[in-house]
Amino acid sequence: MPVAISPTAHHSLAHPDGEKATAKGAASANTAFVVSSFANYSLEDIAQSAPQGVRWFYLIPQNDPARTEELLRRAESAGYTAIWLTVDLPRFGFQNRRDSRIESAEGKRFPNLTFDNAPSDVRSSEFSAYLNDSVKQPITWDDVVWLRKNTQLKIVLKGILSAEDAKEAVKVGVDGICVSNHGGRQLDGVPASIDALPDVVRAVAGKAEVYVDGGVRSGADVLKALALGARCVFVGRPVLWGLACDGAEGVHQVLQLLKEQLNLAMAQAGCSRVSDIKPSLVVHESYYLRGHHCSDSHPH
C-alpha cells in the first residue's frame, strides 16, 4: 500500500500502548511505520510488538558521535531498515514549546533520544536544557555524509522543499527524500508539500525514491500525490486520531479507510493499477485562475 506512517512524537499521550500499538496497526495494514526519536517506547520494544512489520527510525543526531552511533547500532540490531533524518529544523524550540511541559506527559520518557544523564521529568526546564545541550544543531550536509559512512541502512531526508536541496541530497548518496513542510508548524509561509513535490521529482530524476507528507486526509489526496510523482504518501495526525480512538485497531482502520478511498478514487479516474496513475490526472488550480482553460474565442 502506498500509504505509510510519518514520525510523530508522544504516542503514549494518545494510547497507553503508544508506539507499540501504532506498530501493530501498521503491520496489520502491511505498511511501514517511521518511529520518532520522541517515541515513548524503545526501538526494541516497538520491534518486538510487531516483529513482522516494516520499521524505519527517525534519528536525531547527538553532539557526541558515539551516542549517535549507539542509536544506529540499536536500530540495526532491532531490524529497522532505514534511517530518516529531518533537515528542515536547524534549531529545536525546546524551551518555547508549551507541549514540552504539558501535565499529561508526566512519567513519559524518550528512550531513543536520551541517555543515562537525562533529567527524569520531560516537562521540566532542566530536561529542555538537556536536549538543547545534547542534540546536534544544526544538521548539515556533512552530517548526512557522516551518516552515509556509518550505516548500511537506507537513508531518507525529510523536509526537502526545493530542487536545489533535492539535487544535493542525491549527490551525497541518500536513498530517499520526503517532501515535507513539517506539518506546516515550523517556518511559517513555506510552500505546501504537494506544491513542491513536482519540482523535487524532476530534480531527483529517478536517482532516489521521493515521498511526501503533509495535508493528506483522504484517498483522493493520496491519488494526487502519486500522480505528481510520489512513490509513497505518509500520514501523521490521522494515525494519532485512530490510535486515540481504538489503539492498534484504530490505526489499522485509518489506514484501511485511506486504502479503500484510494482504490475508489483510482477506479473513478480510470486507473486499475498504481502504474496507471499519470501526472495528467492533476491540474493545479492556478491553471483555472489564470484562465488558461478558456479559448481566446470565448468572452472573458
Side-chain angles (χ1 to χ4, degrees), residues 48-90:
Q48 290 173 9
S49 70
Q52 75 278 23
V54 177
R55 297 173 306 278
W56 299 340
F57 176 43
Y58 159 49
L59 171 74
I60 295 181
Q62 305 282 312
N63 275 324
D64 182 350
R67 289 187 165 182
T68 303
E69 287 192 61
E70 179 181 333
L71 292 170
L72 289 173
R73 301 294 87 81
R74 285 177 55 198
E76 292 165 354
S77 297
Y80 291 72
T81 54
I83 297 295
W84 280 44
L85 193 67
T86 291
V87 295
D88 63 345
L89 196 60

Side-chain angles (χ1 to χ4, degrees), residues 2-278:
V3 180
I5 301 177
S6 293
T8 51
H10 258 323
H11 286 205
S12 289
L13 296 183
H15 189 274
D17 291 337
E19 291 81 11
K20 295 191 295 182
T22 307
K24 291 178 182 178
S28 68
N30 195 31
T31 195
F33 171 33
V34 186
V35 176
S36 172
S37 284
F38 287 95
N40 298 128
Y41 286 94
S42 70
L43 293 171
E44 295 80 4
D45 286 345
I46 296 167
Q48 290 173 9
S49 70
Q52 75 278 23
V54 177
R55 297 173 306 278
W56 299 340
F57 176 43
Y58 159 49
L59 171 74
I60 295 181
Q62 305 282 312
N63 275 324
D64 182 350
R67 289 187 165 182
T68 303
E69 287 192 61
E70 179 181 333
L71 292 170
L72 289 173
R73 301 294 87 81
R74 285 177 55 198
E76 292 165 354
S77 297
Y80 291 72
T81 54
I83 297 295
W84 280 44
L85 193 67
T86 291
V87 295
D88 63 345
L89 196 60
R91 300 278 316 170
F92 284 92
F94 296 123
Q95 300 285 5
N96 301 317
R97 292 175 64 94
R98 294 180 181 178
D99 58 351
S100 67
R101 287 179 288 277
I102 52 179
E103 292 304 315
S104 53
E106 182 178 2
K108 300 296 187 283
R109 59 194 187 98
F110 299 131
N112 312 309
L113 177 64
T114 58
F115 292 80
D116 292 341
N117 61 330
S120 58
D121 186 356
V122 301
R123 304 166 302 162
S124 67
S125 59
E126 291 80 9
F127 185 82
S128 296
Y130 165 85
L131 289 181
N132 269 320
D133 290 341
S134 62
V135 168
K136 192 175 189 308
Q137 305 176 73
I139 301 297
T140 68
W141 290 112
D142 288 340
D143 295 306
V144 182
V145 172
W146 181 92
L147 187 61
R148 178 74 288 166
K149 292 178 179 177
N150 283 275
T151 184
Q152 296 300 311
L153 300 181
K154 302 290 187 181
I155 297 175
V156 178
L157 298 189
K158 179 177 182 289
I160 298 290
L161 286 173
S162 70
E164 292 81 3
D165 283 345
K167 291 177 181 178
E168 186 66 24
V170 169
K171 189 183 301 182
V172 298
V174 306
D175 302 286
I177 289 170
C178 184
V179 181
S180 174
N181 63 9
H182 219 109
R185 62 184 187 84
Q186 294 300 334
L187 179 61
D188 191 27
V190 296
S193 301
I194 194 74
D195 286 333
L197 177 60
D199 284 345
V200 172
V201 170
R202 283 190 292 268
V204 168
K207 296 175 183 176
E209 291 194 347
V210 178
Y211 315 130
V212 67
D213 80 354
V216 176
R217 296 295 181 267
S218 71
D221 292 337
V222 176
L223 177 63
K224 295 171 191 175
L226 296 178
L228 293 175
R231 177 70 180 273
C232 185
V233 179
F234 286 77
V235 292
R237 291 180 179 92
V239 168
L240 292 175
W241 301 335
L243 179 66
C245 180
D246 197 17
E249 179 58 27
V251 171
H252 175 85
Q253 289 179 11
V254 166
L255 294 169
Q256 184 63 29
L257 179 60
L258 288 170
K259 180 179 180 180
E260 292 171 359
Q261 290 177 347
L262 172 61
N263 288 339
L264 179 59
M266 287 175 59
Q268 292 174 331
C271 303
S272 59
R273 301 177 300 273
V274 171
S275 59
D276 294 334
I277 301 173
K278 306 298 181 186

